[in-house]
Amino acid sequence: GENVEQHPSTLSVQEGDSAVIKCTYSDSASNYFPWYKQELGKRPQLIIDIRSNVGEKKDQRIAVTLNKTAKHFSLHITETQPEDSAVYFCAAPLSSGNTPLVFGKGTRLSVIA
Amino acid sequence: EPEVTQTPSHQVTQMGQEVILRCVPISNHLYFYWYRQILGQKVEFLVSFYNNEISEKSEIFDDQFSVERPDGSNFTLKIRSTKLEDSAMYFCASFRDRGVNTEAFFGQGTRLTVV
């Protein structure tokens, strides 16, 4: 089955700086890698995902990069804002196919104004 | 926008009691999941359900747990004899399919407190 490692566990950045969160996965057959944002007391929500046929995907200030050879993928947030403060989880499929998802341990991002 | 709804939002129960957590998935979704999140920790997979049967389950999902879709809309998680360590937020999630575009839609969660 899939094992997802995520780091750092906590990250503090100044407003306007960039934040990078990294995840590694174990199953080379995995082909779908989403990132979820969880604000305090709320449900996880998908913010961006990437599939194994591309190396990078960008959506405004958020981007995800994938290195299939090294089996790692990263979330990049540029020009961080206080509302980016949350816990971010990476995920990968438990087995071949896209579901169910196994989540990393999460990164608590704090953006300091 | 359609969403997954869960009830109750908060459940307090005594150790050893049975609890049933309820979820109404998005209507055209086919795959349903329960996840658990102990306070401050990661989201952990419990069980997946498709075509009225369990398709996968984790080590956490032992004989104390069961799932059911009794009426074609509700999807329930039952814990037969709760333990203190069952205290957590339980999220239901639904997926449209197992294909490439499979975003997990989470409910708002049920906070279970076992005392």
Side-chain angles (χ1 to χ4, degrees):
Chain A
E2 183 65 272
N3 185 36
V4 178
E5 298 288 336
Q6 182 174 348
H7 55 94
S9 57
T10 59
L11 179 61
S12 291
V13 298
Q14 291 288 330
E15 183 178 0
D17 287 351
S18 295
V20 181
I21 304 170
K22 298 181 180 179
C23 281
T24 60
Y25 60 97
S26 58
D27 188 349
S28 57
S30 293
N31 56 6
Y32 175 66
F33 307 96
W35 284 91
Y36 283 80
K37 176 182 180 182
Q38 187 178 31
E39 296 176 349
L40 189 63
K42 296 190 176 180
R43 74 188 84 184
Q45 292 193 295
L46 179 73
I47 54 171
I48 195 166
D49 55 17
I50 191 167
R51 293 167 183 83
S52 58
N53 58 340
V54 297
E56 183 175 0
K57 182 177 177 180
K58 193 171 181 180
D59 182 3
Q60 298 183 336
R61 297 186 296 107
I62 296 172
V64 55
T65 58
L66 172 64
N67 183 327
K68 286 217 72 178
T69 303
K71 291 191 283 187
H72 68 70
F73 56 111
S74 299
L75 176 71
H76 304 253
I77 306 174
T78 59
E79 301 172 29
T80 52
Q81 301 168 3
E83 52 266 36
D84 294 329
S85 296
V87 180
Y88 291 82
F89 293 96
C90 63
L94 179 64
S95 56
S96 61
N98 290 337
T99 59
L101 296 173
V102 173
F103 287 82
K105 291 185 177 179
T107 297
R108 183 173 298 282
L109 174 65
S110 299
V111 179
I112 303 164
Chain B
E1 185 178 328
E3 61 178 24
V4 177
T5 57
Q6 289 184 243
T7 54
S9 57
H10 192 186
Q11 174 86 48
V12 181
T13 188
Q14 290 209 326
M15 192 169 55
Q17 295 295 305
E18 174 184 286
V19 294
I20 298 176
L21 311 183
R22 292 182 168 80
C23 168
V24 179
I26 295 172
S27 61
N28 64 343
H29 285 194
L30 303 175
Y31 294 85
F32 315 115
Y33 300 80
W34 283 100
Y35 286 87
R36 178 183 80 176
Q37 187 177 34
I38 295 170
L39 186 64
Q41 297 187 25
K42 70 175 179 177
V43 179
E44 299 175 291
F45 168 68
L46 293 178
V47 64
S48 59
F49 192 84
Y50 169 69
N51 202 25
N52 288 320
E53 61 182 24
I54 291 174
S55 50
E56 287 175 281
K57 60 183 181 179
S58 72
E59 294 174 351
I60 302 168
F61 194 86
D62 60 22
D63 292 343
Q64 293 286 78
F65 292 89
S66 62
V67 289
E68 201 174 40
R69 196 161 187 237
D71 58 11
S73 60
N74 290 290
F75 177 51
T76 62
L77 174 69
K78 182 192 289 186
I79 308 175
R80 289 191 182 81
S81 178
T82 50
K83 304 186 286 285
L84 294 176
E85 53 264 39
D86 293 328
S87 296
M89 183 74 91
Y90 289 80
F91 289 104
C92 172
S94 73
F95 292 71
R96 191 183 63 223
D97 54 34
R98 285 178 75 99
V100 177
N101 298 310
T102 48
E103 176 181 352
F105 290 84
F106 285 87
Q108 78 277 21
T110 292
R111 181 171 297 284
L112 176 65
T113 303
V114 182
V115 297

